[in-house]
Amino acid sequence: MEGIIEVRNLTKTFEDKNNKVEALKDINLSINKGDIFGIIGMSGAGKSTLVRCLNFLEKPTSGTVLVDGKDLSKLTAKELRNKRMDISMIFQHFNLLMQKNVLDNICFPLSIAGVNKKEARERALELLKIVGLEEKVGAYPSQLSGGQKQRVAIARALANNPKILLCDEATSALDPQTTKSILELLKRINENYGITIVIINPF
Ligand code: ADP
């Protein structure tokens, strides 16, 4: 069976006048739909580069990335933008919009996707329930703990019903107890919604 993500002979080389870094060298992997797939490695091993190649934020030097059977290198810019809606991402430092409250952070990707305000608001409230943060709907990111910020980021990442959630060191800034609760939430999301989850963590 072909995976929802197929990486074949992926190579990424960063090169300037004086330096050449082979960040990724002949990577092959297959991630099945509905999997929770972990990638671990030491600092500098190429984890971030790999995860950025999975949604083509970084263009591979050679090799192919297929998502749902589609070779990302063959897509037009518009097709790639649409495809990226299927591939959401969360980060170590959450990347929330500090000037917007929780509700507006979650509505943001919906408004970009053209969803009307009322519908976006309803969807955001539903997502807040899923991540267990209904009572923080009007709070600003600065008023939230790290774990709560990551819950908002997860809600935002799920807003457009992605098929894949990429988690780039998503728990690295959290204490062990909070890490556990975020991993439990990701597991529940995987089980309840069938979203394929890729977790990238340092050693
Ligand atoms: P990790 O996420 O595992 O810490 P990275 O993917 O960030 O590793 O980096 C892998 C290697 O590629 C490192 O040697 C890093 O210095 C290099 N690298 C990453 N991004 C760039 C870039 N934009 N330009 C040059 N070198 C880079």
Side-chain angles (χ1 to χ4, degrees):
M1 191 183 78
E2 187 169 82
I4 191 167
I5 299 175
E6 292 281 344
V7 173
R8 299 198 184 133
N9 309 108
L10 181 68
T11 299
K12 178 72 190 185
T13 308
F14 295 105
E15 208 166 347
D16 62 26
K17 271 207 298 269
N18 309 311
N19 262 313
K20 187 173 167 183
V21 179
E22 281 187 309
L24 301 173
K25 199 171 167 184
D26 200 19
I27 304 290
N28 289 280
L29 54 89
S30 179
I31 301 176
N32 289 329
K33 192 168 183 299
D35 270 2
I36 296 181
F37 192 96
I39 297 171
I40 56 168
M42 285 185 286
S43 177
K47 300 181 295 298
S48 289
T49 306
L50 174 59
V51 78
R52 289 166 61 79
C53 283
L54 296 184
N55 56 12
F56 257 48
L57 285 176
E58 199 78 76
K59 295 254 153 58
T61 306
S62 65
T64 49
V65 178
L66 295 125
V67 176
D68 246 350
K70 286 259 157 58
D71 181 343
L72 297 189
S73 71
K74 302 251 158 65
L75 301 182
T76 63
K78 183 162 180 256
E79 285 168 339
L80 186 58
R81 272 199 304 277
N82 283 336
K83 195 79 191 157
R84 284 211 187 104
M85 294 244 236
D86 288 342
I87 316 166
S88 228
M89 201 166 171
I90 58 170
F91 308 88
Q92 178 176 3
H93 296 297
F94 323 119
N95 295 15
L96 297 178
L97 300 161
M98 300 305 279
Q99 318 305 333
K100 289 187 187 285
N101 70 18
V102 165
L103 185 75
D104 292 338
N105 263 281
I106 302 171
C107 285
F108 190 65
L110 290 162
S111 73
I112 288 177
V115 176
N116 75 50
K117 257 195 164 151
K118 183 168 171 284
E119 220 173 289
R121 203 187 138 82
E122 280 167 14
R123 173 84 180 126
L125 292 172
E126 192 186 308
L127 287 159
L128 271 178
K129 230 180 255 169
I130 291 170
V131 301
L133 263 192
E134 297 114 297
E135 81 276 18
K136 296 291 183 188
V137 60
Y140 284 81
S142 62
Q143 299 171 312
L144 302 176
S145 71
Q148 289 170 336
K149 281 184 215 169
Q150 197 58 292
R151 282 173 193 271
V152 176
I154 290 170
R156 182 180 60 177
L158 297 181
N160 284 314
N161 291 312
K163 295 181 179 160
I164 299 163
L165 179 61
L166 305 175
C167 310
D168 190 5
E169 300 201 19
T171 55
S172 290
L174 305 175
D175 63 71
Q177 192 57 40
T178 310
T179 293
K180 189 162 175 273
S181 76
I182 292 294
L183 292 177
E184 280 165 3
L185 173 61
L186 292 174
K187 185 157 184 277
R188 186 154 54 79
I189 287 165
N190 166 263
E191 287 168 357
N192 291 353
Y193 306 100
I195 297 174
T196 305
I197 296 186
V198 182
I199 295 186
I200 290 95
N201 263 0
F203 245 165

